[in-house]
Amino acid sequence: MKSSSDIESRRLEKRLKERFVKAMATYHLIEDDDRILVGLSGGKDSLLLTELLAKRAKIDHPRFSVEALHVRMENIHYETDTSYLQQFCDALDVKLHVKTTRFEVFDENNAADNEIIKFKVQSSKFKRRQKQPCFLCSWNRRKVMFNLAQELGCNKIALGHHQDDLIHTALMNLCFQSRFGTMPALLKMRKMPLTIIRPLCLIPEADIKAYAKLQGYQKQQKLCPYETNSHRTDIKQIYDRLEQLNPEVRYSIWSALETDNKLIEE
């Protein structure tokens, strides 16, 4: 006789697969002959994304291939065990690429002798962001990913943002950018032959946390020192309060994003 925990585990795995497949179909994320590069940070979201994509790639329809990229940042002190990531990918028959990069935080006070830096800090948009490591780290990681994807002949990049991420981003944009929008489930790049896809977009973070615990996903060895010091953390707290006021708020915000066609950008 199966235990209640075994039954719940099977139900959770079934739910994750169903929402993953529904996202693929609803937002036309994957097609025959796609070559997908998945961003594998080592967190629970990217581990699940890699697992779901790898298992789905073994099914004939649609036919696509998957490779993974882990980017290490030299000057941000957090760490993922790359040997674990390698074992994880090997078990799924996914080729893993590991790249190392870094970024510099531009200091306006020391920019006078460097015309390139001086130009950048005089840009109001860059000036607002120059002291935000999260922006610089993300920008440099994406640059490495875009370059490798094109070197490998990949036409799509898969990122592990879940439904909560997209909802929180919509709230951030409302509060800080005076606009209604989010990270789309499908985004076709305009300046390069790449499409960004987010196949976990219909999966709540709570389900990913539960699955990661059941599967024994290894946690990152050192967390990013900036990850709890941002507007996103504040918005998450606000959203948790909204869910207490209205347990259906998730579906209301998601429906609004779909109605305004914010989840596909071609």
Side-chain angles (χ1 to χ4, degrees):
M1 183 176 179
K2 295 179 180 178
S3 67
S4 58
S5 61
D6 288 338
I7 293 174
E8 178 56 31
S9 177
R10 289 181 179 274
R11 285 177 178 171
L12 175 58
E13 186 172 2
K14 182 174 183 290
R15 189 160 66 245
L16 291 172
K17 289 180 179 178
E18 287 177 346
R19 289 178 177 174
F20 172 75
V21 172
K22 183 179 179 181
M24 285 174 52
T26 302
Y27 306 112
H28 314 291
L29 302 184
I30 301 176
E31 300 173 323
D32 280 333
D33 301 320
D34 278 346
R35 297 191 64 182
I36 301 173
L37 181 64
V38 56
L40 181 57
S41 68
K44 66 185 188 314
D45 309 324
S46 65
L47 289 170
L48 174 63
L49 175 60
T50 303
E51 180 179 333
L52 290 175
L53 283 170
K55 290 180 177 178
R56 187 69 188 181
K58 297 182 186 299
I59 300 174
D60 287 340
H61 182 72
R63 298 182 306 275
F64 65 94
S65 62
V66 181
E67 296 188 36
L69 168 65
H70 176 69
V71 181
R72 306 193 69 153
M73 191 63 64
E74 281 185 353
N75 53 331
I76 294 291
H77 301 293
Y78 71 99
E79 187 176 347
T80 298
D81 184 353
T82 50
S83 64
Y84 171 72
L85 296 184
Q86 187 64 65
Q87 294 169 11
F88 187 86
C89 288
D90 288 345
L92 295 168
D93 295 322
V94 172
K95 184 174 181 179
L96 174 65
H97 305 266
V98 178
K99 300 287 185 179
T100 300
T101 188
R102 63 179 289 111
F103 67 87
E104 301 295 337
V105 178
F106 297 109
D107 184 350
E108 185 174 8
N109 295 324
N110 297 322
D113 295 330
N114 189 319
E115 289 302 317
I116 296 177
I117 296 177
K118 186 177 180 180
F119 172 78
K120 286 183 175 179
V121 299
Q122 287 175 344
S123 163
S124 59
K125 183 177 181 180
F126 190 87
K127 193 170 183 177
R128 289 196 302 270
R129 292 174 167 174
Q130 64 178 311
K131 295 182 180 179
Q132 297 181 16
C134 295
F135 166 77
L136 295 169
C137 182
S138 174
W139 189 88
N140 280 275
R141 287 175 181 277
R142 295 289 179 90
K143 182 179 178 181
V144 172
M145 180 169 282
F146 292 157
N147 288 341
L148 181 63
Q150 292 179 91
E151 288 175 17
L152 297 174
C154 296
N155 64 313
K156 289 183 178 175
I157 290 175
L159 301 177
H161 298 112
H162 46 67
Q163 190 174 54
D164 293 61
D165 287 327
L166 272 65
I167 290 173
H168 295 165
T169 299
L171 291 175
M172 286 181 66
N173 286 334
L174 275 174
C175 293
F176 299 106
Q177 300 294 330
S178 303
R179 66 183 181 87
F180 183 60
T182 188
M183 303 178 288
L186 182 143
L187 169 64
K188 289 190 176 180
M189 305 295 291
R190 296 177 181 176
K191 295 183 179 180
M192 56 188 75
L194 292 171
T195 297
I196 306 295
I197 60 173
R198 296 180 169 92
L200 304 186
C201 63
L202 295 181
I203 300 178
E205 184 179 21
D207 280 354
I208 300 177
K209 284 183 176 179
Y211 186 76
K213 184 176 180 179
L214 286 170
Q215 294 298 106
Y217 282 173
Q218 182 173 305
K219 294 183 179 180
Q220 291 171 303
Q221 295 173 334
K222 294 180 182 178
L223 297 178
C224 173
Y226 300 101
E227 68 179 38
T228 59
N229 183 27
S230 68
H231 286 317
R232 186 169 290 276
T233 302
D234 299 331
I235 288 293
K236 184 180 185 303
Q237 294 172 352
I238 293 171
Y239 176 73
D240 290 344
R241 177 60 177 148
L242 289 174
E243 278 200 314
Q244 292 174 10
L245 293 171
N246 174 19
E248 301 296 314
V249 69
R250 170 186 303 272
Y251 308 107
S252 295
I253 296 174
W254 196 260
S255 178
L257 288 169
E258 288 194 321
T259 299
D260 273 17
N261 298 314
K262 301 299 185 182
L263 296 172
I264 295 179
E265 188 173 329
E266 297 182 294

